[in-house]
Coordinates of all heavy atoms in Angstrom, one line a residue:
A360 N 68.0 17.1 -81.6 CA 67.7 15.8 -82.0 C 66.7 15.9 -83.2 O 65.7 16.7 -83.1 CB 67.1 15.0 -80.9
T361 N 66.8 15.1 -84.2 CA 65.9 15.1 -85.3 C 65.0 13.9 -85.3 O 65.3 12.9 -84.5 CB 66.7 15.1 -86.6 OG1 67.5 13.9 -86.7 CG2 67.6 16.4 -86.7
A362 N 64.1 13.8 -86.2 CA 63.2 12.7 -86.2 C 63.9 11.4 -86.6 O 63.5 10.3 -86.3 CB 62.0 12.9 -87.2
A363 N 65.0 11.6 -87.3 CA 65.8 10.4 -87.8 C 66.7 9.9 -86.6 O 67.3 8.8 -86.8 CB 66.7 10.8 -89.0
D364 N 66.8 10.6 -85.6 CA 67.6 10.2 -84.4 C 67.0 9.0 -83.8 O 65.9 9.0 -83.3 CB 67.7 11.4 -83.4 CG 68.7 11.1 -82.3 OD1 69.3 10.0 -82.3 OD2 68.9 12.0 -81.4
P365 N 67.7 7.9 -83.7 CA 67.1 6.6 -83.2 C 66.8 6.7 -81.7 O 65.8 6.1 -81.2 CB 68.2 5.6 -83.4 CG 69.5 6.3 -83.6 CD 69.1 7.7 -84.2
N366 N 67.5 7.6 -80.9 CA 67.1 7.7 -79.5 C 65.7 8.4 -79.3 O 65.0 8.0 -78.4 CB 68.2 8.6 -78.8 CG 69.5 7.9 -78.7 OD1 69.6 6.7 -78.6 ND2 70.6 8.6 -78.8
V367 N 65.4 9.3 -80.2 CA 64.1 9.9 -80.1 C 63.0 9.0 -80.4 O 62.0 8.9 -79.7 CB 64.0 11.2 -81.0 CG1 62.6 11.7 -81.1 CG2 65.0 12.2 -80.6
T368 N 63.1 8.2 -81.4 CA 62.1 7.2 -81.8 C 62.0 6.1 -80.8 O 60.9 5.6 -80.5 CB 62.3 6.7 -83.2 OG1 63.6 6.1 -83.3 CG2 62.2 7.8 -84.3
Q369 N 63.1 5.7 -80.2 CA 63.0 4.6 -79.3 C 62.3 5.0 -78.0 O 61.5 4.3 -77.4 CB 64.5 4.1 -78.9 CG 65.1 3.3 -80.0 CD 66.5 2.9 -79.7 OE1 67.0 3.3 -78.6 NE2 67.1 2.1 -80.5
S370 N 62.7 6.2 -77.5 CA 62.0 6.7 -76.3 C 60.5 6.9 -76.5 O 59.7 6.7 -75.6 CB 62.7 8.0 -75.8 OG 62.5 9.0 -76.7
G371 N 60.2 7.4 -77.7 CA 58.7 7.6 -78.0 C 58.0 6.3 -78.1 O 56.9 6.1 -77.6
G372 N 58.7 5.3 -78.6 CA 58.1 3.9 -78.7 C 57.9 3.3 -77.3 O 56.9 2.7 -77.0
K373 N 58.9 3.5 -76.5 CA 58.8 3.0 -75.1 C 57.7 3.7 -74.3 O 56.9 3.0 -73.6 CB 60.1 3.2 -74.4 CG 61.2 2.3 -74.8 CD 62.5 2.5 -74.0 CE 63.6 1.6 -74.6 NZ 64.9 1.9 -73.9
Y374 N 57.5 5.0 -74.6 CA 56.5 5.7 -73.9 C 55.1 5.2 -74.4 O 54.2 5.0 -73.6 CB 56.6 7.2 -74.2 CG 55.4 8.0 -73.7 CD1 55.3 8.3 -72.4 CD2 54.4 8.5 -74.6 CE1 54.3 9.0 -71.8 CE2 53.4 9.2 -74.1 CZ 53.3 9.5 -72.7 OH 52.3 10.2 -72.2
R375 N 54.9 5.0 -75.7 CA 53.7 4.4 -76.2 C 53.4 3.0 -75.7 O 52.3 2.7 -75.4 CB 53.7 4.4 -77.7 CG 53.4 5.8 -78.3 CD 53.1 5.7 -79.8 NE 54.3 5.4 -80.6 CZ 55.2 6.2 -81.0 NH1 55.1 7.5 -80.7 NH2 56.3 5.8 -81.7
Q376 N 54.4 2.2 -75.6 CA 54.3 0.8 -75.0 C 53.8 0.9 -73.6 O 53.0 0.2 -73.1 CB 55.6 0.0 -75.1 CG 55.9 -0.4 -76.6 CD 57.2 -1.1 -76.6 OE1 58.0 -1.0 -75.7 NE2 57.5 -1.7 -77.7
T377 N 54.5 1.8 -72.8 CA 54.1 1.9 -71.4 C 52.7 2.4 -71.3 O 51.9 2.0 -70.4 CB 55.1 2.9 -70.7 OG1 56.4 2.5 -70.9 CG2 54.8 3.1 -69.2
L378 N 52.3 3.4 -72.1 CA 50.9 3.9 -72.0 C 49.9 2.9 -72.4 O 48.9 2.8 -71.8 CB 50.8 5.1 -73.0 CG 49.6 6.0 -72.9 CD1 49.4 6.5 -71.5 CD2 49.6 7.1 -73.9
K379 N 50.2 2.1 -73.4 CA 49.3 1.0 -73.9 C 49.2 0.0 -72.8 O 48.1 -0.5 -72.5 CB 49.9 0.3 -75.1 CG 49.0 -0.8 -75.7 CD 49.6 -1.3 -77.0 CE 48.8 -2.5 -77.5 NZ 49.4 -3.1 -78.7
K380 N 50.3 -0.4 -72.1 CA 50.2 -1.4 -71.0 C 49.4 -0.8 -69.8 O 48.6 -1.5 -69.2 CB 51.6 -1.7 -70.5 CG 51.7 -2.9 -69.5 CD 53.1 -3.3 -69.3 CE 53.5 -4.3 -70.4 NZ 54.6 -5.1 -70.1
F381 N 49.6 0.5 -69.6 CA 48.8 1.1 -68.5 C 47.3 1.1 -68.8 O 46.5 0.8 -68.0 CB 49.3 2.6 -68.3 CG 48.5 3.3 -67.3 CD1 48.7 3.1 -65.9 CD2 47.5 4.2 -67.6 CE1 48.0 3.8 -65.0 CE2 46.8 4.9 -66.7 CZ 47.1 4.7 -65.3
D382 N 47.0 1.4 -70.1 CA 45.5 1.3 -70.5 C 45.0 -0.1 -70.3 O 43.9 -0.3 -69.9 CB 45.4 1.8 -71.9 CG 45.6 3.3 -72.1 OD1 45.5 4.0 -71.1 OD2 45.8 3.7 -73.2
Q383 N 45.8 -1.1 -70.7 CA 45.3 -2.5 -70.5 C 45.1 -2.9 -69.1 O 44.1 -3.5 -68.7 CB 46.4 -3.5 -71.2 CG 46.4 -3.4 -72.7 CD 47.6 -4.2 -73.2 OE1 48.5 -4.6 -72.5 NE2 47.5 -4.5 -74.5
T384 N 46.0 -2.5 -68.2 CA 45.9 -2.8 -66.8 C 44.7 -2.0 -66.2 O 44.0 -2.6 -65.3 CB 47.2 -2.6 -66.0 OG1 47.5 -1.2 -66.1 CG2 48.3 -3.5 -66.5
E385 N 44.5 -0.8 -66.6 CA 43.3 0.0 -66.2 C 42.0 -0.7 -66.6 O 41.1 -0.8 -65.8 CB 43.4 1.4 -66.7 CG 44.3 2.3 -66.0 CD 44.0 2.6 -64.6 OE1 42.8 2.9 -64.3 OE2 44.8 2.5 -63.7
G386 N 42.0 -1.3 -67.8 CA 40.8 -2.0 -68.2 C 40.6 -3.3 -67.4 O 39.5 -3.6 -67.1
L387 N 41.7 -3.9 -67.0 CA 41.6 -5.1 -66.2 C 41.0 -4.7 -64.8 O 40.2 -5.5 -64.2 CB 42.9 -5.8 -66.0 CG 43.5 -6.5 -67.3 CD1 44.9 -7.0 -67.0 CD2 42.6 -7.7 -67.6
D388 N 41.5 -3.6 -64.3 CA 41.0 -3.1 -63.0 C 39.5 -2.8 -63.0 O 38.7 -3.1 -62.1 CB 41.8 -2.0 -62.5 CG 43.2 -2.3 -62.1 OD1 43.4 -3.5 -61.7 OD2 44.1 -1.5 -62.0
R389 N 39.1 -2.1 -64.1 CA 37.7 -1.8 -64.3 C 36.8 -3.0 -64.4 O 35.7 -3.1 -63.8 CB 37.5 -0.9 -65.5 CG 37.8 0.6 -65.2 CD 37.4 1.5 -66.4 NE 37.9 1.1 -67.6 CZ 39.1 1.6 -68.1 NH1 39.8 2.4 -67.4 NH2 39.5 1.2 -69.3
S390 N 37.3 -4.0 -65.1 CA 36.6 -5.2 -65.3 C 36.4 -5.9 -63.9 O 35.4 -6.5 -63.6 CB 37.3 -6.1 -66.3 OG 36.7 -7.4 -66.4
F391 N 37.5 -6.0 -63.1 CA 37.5 -6.6 -61.8 C 36.5 -5.9 -60.9 O 35.7 -6.5 -60.2 CB 38.9 -6.6 -61.2 CG 38.9 -7.2 -59.8 CD1 38.7 -8.5 -59.7 CD2 39.2 -6.4 -58.7 CE1 38.8 -9.1 -58.4 CE2 39.2 -6.9 -57.5 CZ 39.0 -8.3 -57.3
T392 N 36.5 -4.6 -61.0 CA 35.5 -3.8 -60.1 C 34.1 -4.2 -60.5 O 33.3 -4.4 -59.6 CB 35.8 -2.3 -60.3 OG1 37.1 -2.0 -60.0 CG2 34.8 -1.5 -59.5
S393 N 33.8 -4.3 -61.7 CA 32.4 -4.7 -62.1 C 32.1 -6.1 -61.7 O 31.0 -6.4 -61.3 CB 32.1 -4.5 -63.6 OG 32.9 -5.3 -64.4
L394 N 33.1 -7.0 -61.8 CA 32.8 -8.4 -61.3 C 32.6 -8.4 -59.8 O 31.7 -9.1 -59.4 CB 34.1 -9.2 -61.7 CG 34.2 -9.6 -63.1 CD1 35.6 -10.2 -63.4 CD2 33.2 -10.6 -63.6
V395 N 33.4 -7.7 -59.1 CA 33.2 -7.6 -57.6 C 31.8 -7.1 -57.3 O 31.2 -7.6 -56.4 CB 34.3 -6.8 -57.0 CG1 34.0 -6.5 -55.5 CG2 35.6 -7.6 -57.1
F396 N 31.4 -6.1 -58.0 CA 30.1 -5.5 -57.7 C 29.0 -6.6 -57.9 O 28.1 -6.7 -57.1 CB 29.8 -4.3 -58.6 CG 28.5 -3.7 -58.5 CD1 28.2 -2.9 -57.4 CD2 27.5 -3.9 -59.4 CE1 27.0 -2.3 -57.2 CE2 26.2 -3.3 -59.2 CZ 26.0 -2.5 -58.1
E397 N 29.1 -7.3 -59.0 CA 28.1 -8.4 -59.3 C 28.2 -9.5 -58.2 O 27.1 -10.0 -57.8 CB 28.3 -9.0 -60.6 CG 27.9 -8.1 -61.8 CD 28.0 -8.9 -63.1 OE1 27.4 -9.9 -63.3 OE2 28.7 -8.3 -64.0
I398 N 29.4 -9.8 -57.8 CA 29.5 -10.9 -56.8 C 28.9 -10.4 -55.5 O 28.2 -11.2 -54.8 CB 31.0 -11.3 -56.6 CG1 31.5 -12.0 -57.9 CG2 31.2 -12.1 -55.4 CD1 33.0 -12.2 -57.9
Q399 N 29.2 -9.2 -55.1 CA 28.7 -8.7 -53.8 C 27.2 -8.6 -53.8 O 26.5 -8.8 -52.8 CB 29.3 -7.3 -53.5 CG 30.8 -7.4 -53.1 CD 31.4 -6.1 -52.8 OE1 30.9 -5.1 -53.4 NE2 32.5 -6.1 -52.1
H400 N 26.6 -8.3 -55.0 CA 25.2 -8.2 -55.1 C 24.5 -9.6 -54.9 O 23.4 -9.6 -54.4 CB 24.9 -7.7 -56.5 CG 23.4 -7.3 -56.7 ND1 22.8 -6.4 -55.9 CD2 22.5 -7.8 -57.6 CE1 21.5 -6.3 -56.3 NE2 21.3 -7.1 -57.3
R401 N 25.2 -10.6 -55.2 CA 24.7 -12.0 -55.1 C 25.0 -12.6 -53.8 O 24.5 -13.7 -53.4 CB 25.2 -12.9 -56.2 CG 24.6 -12.5 -57.6 CD 25.2 -13.3 -58.7 NE 24.8 -12.9 -60.0 CZ 23.7 -13.3 -60.6 NH1 23.0 -14.3 -60.0 NH2 23.4 -12.9 -61.8
L402 N 25.9 -12.0 -53.0 CA 26.3 -12.6 -51.7 C 25.2 -12.8 -50.7 O 25.2 -13.7 -49.9 CB 27.4 -11.8 -51.1 CG 28.8 -12.0 -51.6 CD1 29.8 -11.1 -50.9 CD2 29.3 -13.5 -51.5
E403 N 24.2 -11.9 -50.8 CA 23.0 -12.0 -49.9 C 22.2 -13.3 -50.1 O 21.6 -13.7 -49.1 CB 22.1 -10.8 -50.1 CG 22.8 -9.4 -49.9 CD 22.0 -8.3 -50.4 OE1 20.9 -8.5 -50.9 OE2 22.5 -7.1 -50.2
L404 N 22.4 -13.9 -51.2 CA 21.6 -15.1 -51.5 C 22.3 -16.4 -51.1 O 21.7 -17.4 -51.2 CB 21.3 -15.2 -53.0 CG 20.6 -13.9 -53.6 CD1 20.6 -14.1 -55.2 CD2 19.3 -13.7 -53.1
V405 N 23.5 -16.2 -50.6 CA 24.3 -17.4 -50.2 C 24.2 -17.6 -48.7 O 24.1 -16.7 -47.9 CB 25.8 -17.2 -50.7 CG1 26.6 -18.3 -50.3 CG2 25.8 -16.9 -52.2
A406 N 24.3 -18.9 -48.3 CA 24.4 -19.3 -46.9 C 25.6 -18.6 -46.2 O 26.6 -18.3 -46.9 CB 24.5 -20.8 -46.7
H407 N 25.4 -18.3 -44.9 CA 26.4 -17.6 -44.2 C 27.8 -18.2 -44.3 O 28.8 -17.5 -44.5 CB 26.0 -17.5 -42.7 CG 27.0 -16.8 -41.9 ND1 27.2 -15.4 -41.9 CD2 28.0 -17.2 -41.0 CE1 28.2 -15.0 -41.1 NE2 28.6 -16.1 -40.5
V408 N 28.0 -19.5 -44.2 CA 29.3 -20.2 -44.2 C 29.9 -19.9 -45.6 O 31.1 -19.6 -45.6 CB 29.1 -21.7 -44.1 CG1 30.4 -22.4 -44.2 CG2 28.5 -22.0 -42.7
H409 N 29.2 -20.0 -46.7 CA 29.8 -19.7 -48.0 C 30.0 -18.3 -48.2 O 31.0 -17.9 -48.9 CB 28.8 -20.3 -49.1 CG 28.6 -21.7 -49.0 ND1 29.6 -22.7 -49.1 CD2 27.4 -22.4 -48.7 CE1 29.1 -23.9 -48.9 NE2 27.8 -23.8 -48.7
R410 N 29.2 -17.4 -47.6 CA 29.4 -16.0 -47.8 C 30.7 -15.5 -47.1 O 31.4 -14.7 -47.7 CB 28.2 -15.2 -47.1 CG 28.3 -13.7 -47.4 CD 27.1 -13.0 -46.8 NE 25.9 -13.7 -46.8 CZ 25.0 -13.9 -45.8 NH1 25.3 -13.4 -44.6 NH2 23.9 -14.6 -45.9
V411 N 31.0 -16.1 -46.0 CA 32.2 -15.8 -45.3 C 33.4 -16.2 -46.1 O 34.4 -15.4 -46.3 CB 32.3 -16.4 -43.9 CG1 33.7 -16.3 -43.3 CG2 31.3 -15.8 -43.0
R412 N 33.4 -17.3 -46.7 CA 34.5 -17.8 -47.6 C 34.6 -16.9 -48.8 O 35.8 -16.6 -49.2 CB 34.2 -19.3 -48.0 CG 35.4 -19.9 -48.8 CD 35.1 -21.3 -49.1 NE 35.2 -22.1 -47.9 CZ 34.8 -23.4 -47.8 NH1 34.4 -24.0 -48.9 NH2 34.9 -24.0 -46.7
L413 N 33.5 -16.6 -49.4 CA 33.6 -15.7 -50.6 C 34.1 -14.3 -50.3 O 34.9 -13.8 -51.0 CB 32.2 -15.6 -51.2 CG 31.7 -16.9 -52.0 CD1 30.3 -16.7 -52.3 CD2 32.5 -17.0 -53.3
E414 N 33.7 -13.8 -49.1 CA 34.2 -12.5 -48.7 C 35.7 -12.5 -48.5 O 36.4 -11.6 -48.8 CB 33.4 -12.0 -47.5 CG 32.0 -11.6 -47.8 CD 31.2 -11.3 -46.5 OE1 31.7 -11.7 -45.4 OE2 30.1 -10.8 -46.7
R415 N 36.2 -13.6 -47.9 CA 37.6 -13.7 -47.7 C 38.4 -13.8 -49.0 O 39.5 -13.2 -49.1 CB 37.9 -14.9 -46.8 CG 37.5 -14.6 -45.3 CD 37.9 -15.7 -44.4 NE 37.5 -15.4 -43.1 CZ 37.6 -16.2 -42.1 NH1 38.0 -17.5 -42.2 NH2 37.1 -15.9 -40.9
W416 N 37.8 -14.5 -49.9 CA 38.5 -14.6 -51.3 C 38.5 -13.3 -51.9 O 39.5 -12.8 -52.5 CB 37.7 -15.6 -52.2 CG 38.3 -17.0 -52.1 CD1 37.8 -18.1 -51.5 CD2 39.5 -17.4 -52.7 NE1 38.6 -19.2 -51.7 CE2 39.6 -18.8 -52.4 CE3 40.5 -16.8 -53.5 CZ2 40.7 -19.5 -52.9 CZ3 41.6 -17.5 -53.9 CH2 41.7 -18.9 -53.6
L417 N 37.4 -12.5 -51.8 CA 37.3 -11.2 -52.4 C 38.3 -10.3 -51.7 O 39.0 -9.5 -52.4 CB 35.9 -10.6 -52.3 CG 34.9 -11.1 -53.2 CD1 33.5 -10.5 -52.9 CD2 35.3 -10.9 -54.7
R418 N 38.5 -10.4 -50.4 CA 39.4 -9.5 -49.7 C 40.9 -9.8 -50.2 O 41.7 -8.9 -50.5 CB 39.3 -9.8 -48.2 CG 40.0 -8.7 -47.4 CD 39.8 -8.9 -45.9 NE 38.4 -9.2 -45.6 CZ 38.0 -10.2 -44.7 NH1 38.9 -10.9 -44.0 NH2 36.7 -10.4 -44.5
K419 N 41.2 -11.1 -50.4 CA 42.5 -11.5 -50.9 C 42.7 -11.1 -52.3 O 43.8 -10.6 -52.7 CB 42.6 -13.1 -50.8 CG 43.9 -13.6 -51.2 CD 45.0 -13.2 -50.2 CE 46.3 -13.8 -50.6 NZ 47.4 -13.3 -49.8
L420 N 41.7 -11.2 -53.2 CA 41.8 -10.8 -54.6 C 41.9 -9.2 -54.7 O 42.4 -8.7 -55.7 CB 40.6 -11.3 -55.4 CG 40.6 -12.8 -55.6 CD1 39.3 -13.1 -56.3 CD2 41.8 -13.3 -56.4
H421 N 41.4 -8.5 -53.7 CA 41.5 -7.1 -53.7 C 42.8 -6.5 -53.4 O 43.0 -5.2 -53.5 CB 40.4 -6.5 -52.8 CG 39.3 -5.8 -53.4 ND1 39.4 -4.6 -54.1 CD2 38.0 -6.3 -53.7 CE1 38.2 -4.3 -54.6 NE2 37.4 -5.3 -54.4
E422 N 43.8 -7.3 -53.0 CA 45.1 -6.8 -52.6 C 45.7 -6.1 -53.8 O 45.5 -6.6 -55.0 CB 46.0 -7.9 -52.1 CG 45.6 -8.4 -50.8 CD 46.4 -9.6 -50.3 OE1 47.3 -10.0 -51.0 OE2 46.1 -10.1 -49.2
P423 N 46.4 -5.0 -53.7 CA 47.0 -4.3 -54.8 C 48.0 -5.2 -55.6 O 48.8 -5.9 -55.1 CB 47.8 -3.2 -54.1 CG 47.3 -3.0 -52.8 CD 46.7 -4.4 -52.4
E424 N 47.8 -5.1 -56.9 CA 48.6 -5.9 -57.8 C 49.0 -5.0 -59.0 O 48.2 -4.2 -59.5 CB 47.8 -7.1 -58.3 CG 48.6 -8.0 -59.1 CD 49.9 -8.5 -58.4 OE1 49.8 -9.0 -57.3 OE2 50.9 -8.2 -59.0
H425 N 50.3 -5.2 -59.5 CA 50.7 -4.4 -60.6 C 51.1 -5.2 -61.8 O 51.2 -4.7 -62.9 CB 52.0 -3.6 -60.2 CG 51.7 -2.6 -59.0 ND1 50.9 -1.5 -59.2 CD2 52.0 -2.7 -57.7 CE1 50.8 -0.9 -58.0 NE2 51.5 -1.6 -57.1
N426 N 51.2 -6.5 -61.6 CA 51.6 -7.4 -62.7 C 50.4 -7.7 -63.5 O 49.3 -8.2 -63.0 CB 52.2 -8.7 -62.1 CG 52.7 -9.6 -63.2 OD1 52.1 -9.8 -64.2 ND2 53.9 -10.2 -62.9
E427 N 50.5 -7.5 -64.9 CA 49.3 -7.6 -65.7 C 48.8 -9.1 -65.8 O 47.6 -9.3 -65.8 CB 49.7 -7.2 -67.1 CG 48.6 -7.2 -68.1 CD 49.0 -6.8 -69.5 OE1 50.1 -6.3 -69.7 OE2 48.2 -6.9 -70.4
T428 N 49.7 -10.0 -65.8 CA 49.3 -11.5 -65.8 C 48.6 -11.8 -64.6 O 47.6 -12.5 -64.6 CB 50.6 -12.3 -66.0 OG1 51.3 -12.0 -67.2 CG2 50.2 -13.8 -66.1
W429 N 49.0 -11.4 -63.4 CA 48.4 -11.7 -62.2 C 47.0 -11.0 -62.1 O 46.1 -11.6 -61.5 CB 49.2 -11.3 -61.0 CG 50.4 -12.2 -60.9 CD1 50.7 -13.3 -61.6 CD2 51.5 -12.0 -60.0 NE1 51.9 -13.8 -61.2 CE2 52.4 -13.0 -60.2 CE3 51.8 -11.0 -59.0 CZ2 53.6 -13.2 -59.4 CZ3 53.0 -11.2 -58.3 CH2 53.9 -12.2 -58.5
K430 N 46.9 -9.8 -62.7 CA 45.6 -9.2 -62.8 C 44.6 -10.0 -63.6 O 43.4 -10.1 -63.3 CB 45.7 -7.7 -63.3 CG 46.3 -6.8 -62.3 CD 46.3 -5.4 -62.9 CE 46.8 -4.4 -61.9 NZ 46.6 -3.0 -62.3
R431 N 45.1 -10.5 -64.7 CA 44.2 -11.4 -65.5 C 43.8 -12.6 -64.8 O 42.6 -13.0 -64.8 CB 45.0 -11.8 -66.8 CG 44.8 -10.8 -67.9 CD 45.2 -11.5 -69.3 NE 45.9 -10.5 -70.0 CZ 47.2 -10.5 -70.3 NH1 48.0 -11.4 -69.9 NH2 47.8 -9.5 -71.0
N432 N 44.7 -13.2 -64.0 CA 44.4 -14.4 -63.2 C 43.4 -14.0 -62.1 O 42.4 -14.8 -61.8 CB 45.6 -15.0 -62.6 CG 46.5 -15.7 -63.6 OD1 46.0 -16.1 -64.6 ND2 47.7 -15.9 -63.3
R433 N 43.5 -12.9 -61.5 CA 42.6 -12.4 -60.5 C 41.2 -12.2 -61.1 O 40.2 -12.7 -60.5 CB 43.1 -11.0 -60.0 CG 42.2 -10.3 -59.1 CD 42.5 -8.8 -59.0 NE 42.2 -8.2 -60.3 CZ 42.6 -6.9 -60.5 NH1 43.2 -6.2 -59.6 NH2 42.3 -6.4 -61.7
N434 N 41.1 -11.7 -62.3 CA 39.9 -11.5 -63.0 C 39.2 -12.8 -63.3 O 38.0 -13.0 -63.2 CB 40.0 -10.6 -64.2 CG 40.2 -9.2 -63.9 OD1 40.4 -8.8 -62.7 ND2 40.3 -8.4 -64.9
N435 N 40.1 -13.8 -63.7 CA 39.6 -15.1 -64.0 C 39.0 -15.8 -62.8 O 37.9 -16.5 -62.9 CB 40.6 -16.0 -64.7 CG 41.0 -15.6 -66.1 OD1 40.1 -15.0 -66.8 ND2 42.2 -15.9 -66.5
H436 N 39.7 -15.6 -61.7 CA 39.1 -16.2 -60.4 C 37.8 -15.5 -60.1 O 36.9 -16.2 -59.6 CB 40.1 -16.0 -59.3 CG 41.2 -17.0 -59.2 ND1 42.3 -16.9 -59.9 CD2 41.3 -18.1 -58.5 CE1 43.1 -18.0 -59.7 NE2 42.5 -18.7 -58.8
A437 N 37.7 -14.2 -60.2 CA 36.5 -13.5 -59.9 C 35.3 -14.0 -60.9 O 34.2 -14.2 -60.5 CB 36.7 -12.0 -60.1
R438 N 35.7 -14.2 -62.2 CA 34.7 -14.7 -63.1 C 34.2 -16.1 -62.7 O 33.0 -16.4 -62.8 CB 35.2 -14.8 -64.5 CG 35.2 -13.4 -65.2 CD 35.6 -13.6 -66.7 NE 36.1 -12.3 -67.2 CZ 37.4 -12.0 -67.2 NH1 38.3 -12.8 -66.9 NH2 37.7 -10.8 -67.7
L439 N 35.1 -16.9 -62.3 CA 34.7 -18.3 -61.8 C 33.8 -18.2 -60.6 O 32.8 -18.9 -60.5 CB 36.0 -19.1 -61.5 CG 35.8 -20.5 -61.1 CD1 35.0 -21.3 -62.1 CD2 37.1 -21.2 -60.8
M440 N 34.2 -17.3 -59.7 CA 33.3 -17.2 -58.5 C 31.9 -16.7 -58.9 O 30.9 -17.3 -58.4 CB 33.9 -16.1 -57.5 CG 35.1 -16.6 -56.8 SD 36.0 -15.3 -55.9 CE 34.8 -14.7 -54.8
L441 N 31.8 -15.8 -59.8 CA 30.5 -15.3 -60.2 C 29.7 -16.4 -61.0 O 28.5 -16.5 -60.7 CB 30.7 -14.1 -61.1 CG 29.4 -13.4 -61.6 CD1 28.6 -12.9 -60.5 CD2 29.7 -12.2 -62.6
A442 N 30.4 -17.1 -61.8 CA 29.7 -18.2 -62.5 C 29.2 -19.3 -61.5 O 28.1 -19.8 -61.7 CB 30.7 -18.9 -63.5
C443 N 30.0 -19.6 -60.5 CA 29.5 -20.5 -59.5 C 28.3 -20.0 -58.7 O 27.4 -20.7 -58.4 CB 30.6 -20.9 -58.5 SG 31.9 -21.9 -59.2
L444 N 28.3 -18.7 -58.4 CA 27.2 -18.1 -57.7 C 26.0 -18.1 -58.6 O 24.9 -18.3 -58.1 CB 27.5 -16.6 -57.4 CG 28.4 -16.4 -56.1 CD1 28.8 -15.0 -56.0 CD2 27.7 -16.9 -54.9
K445 N 26.1 -17.9 -59.9 CA 25.0 -17.9 -60.8 C 24.4 -19.3 -60.9 O 23.2 -19.4 -61.1 CB 25.4 -17.4 -62.2 CG 25.6 -15.9 -62.3 CD 26.0 -15.4 -63.7 CE 26.1 -13.9 -63.7 NZ 26.5 -13.5 -65.1
M446 N 25.2 -20.3 -60.9 CA 24.7 -21.7 -60.9 C 24.2 -22.2 -59.6 O 23.7 -23.3 -59.5 CB 25.8 -22.6 -61.5 CG 26.2 -22.3 -62.9 SD 27.3 -23.5 -63.6 CE 28.7 -23.4 -62.6
G447 N 24.5 -21.4 -58.6 CA 24.0 -21.9 -57.2 C 24.9 -22.8 -56.5 O 24.5 -23.6 -55.7
R448 N 26.2 -22.8 -56.9 CA 27.1 -23.7 -56.2 C 27.9 -23.0 -55.2 O 28.2 -21.9 -55.2 CB 28.1 -24.3 -57.3 CG 27.4 -25.2 -58.3 CD 28.4 -25.7 -59.2 NE 27.7 -26.6 -60.2 CZ 28.3 -27.2 -61.1 NH1 29.6 -27.1 -61.3 NH2 27.6 -27.9 -62.0

């Protein structure tokens, strides 16, 4: 196979796309981990009833996910939880 062979360039392109998508989802996971760390750090300041609810949400959001869009939504939910905690709501 030569460099002009379309099969070689297509498979290389697919590999790069897959690798790029993997890097993006890894970044989403790292971002989620740091958000969870901040949320857990603030849970001690919340009343018991609200803490239990937040812990259950975190447990649900921690379920394994492979879809990139759902990971973004998961991170958005975590950001919203953190913002509410910061505002005292």
Side-chain angles (χ1 to χ4, degrees):
T361 64
D364 188 359
N366 292 330
V367 171
T368 56
Q369 286 178 356
S370 65
K373 288 180 183 177
Y374 175 75
R375 280 192 291 276
Q376 288 175 346
T377 303
L378 189 59
K379 183 178 178 182
K380 188 172 278 196
F381 178 75
D382 288 342
Q383 289 173 346
T384 58
E385 283 294 313
L387 290 171
D388 289 338
R389 282 191 301 271
S390 175
F391 179 68
T392 301
S393 66
L394 287 167
V395 168
F396 179 76
E397 286 186 57
I398 290 170
Q399 287 176 338
H400 190 58
R401 293 177 184 269
L402 280 179
E403 299 168 1
L404 306 172
V405 179
H407 179 73
V408 175
H409 300 298
R410 187 179 323 131
V411 169
R412 185 176 291 172
L413 287 167
E414 287 171 350
R415 287 185 181 172
W416 267 105
L417 284 176
R418 197 174 315 137
K419 183 68 176 170
L420 291 175
H421 250 285
E422 291 178 358
E424 186 54 59
H425 302 290
N426 187 318
E427 183 180 352
T428 303
W429 290 353
K430 284 185 177 190
R431 273 196 216 109
N432 287 337
R433 172 200 66 190
N434 288 6
N435 288 336
H436 277 85
R438 278 189 203 95
L439 181 61
M440 288 171 58
L441 182 60
C443 289
L444 282 171
K445 285 181 177 179
M446 291 188 301
R448 294 184 181 177

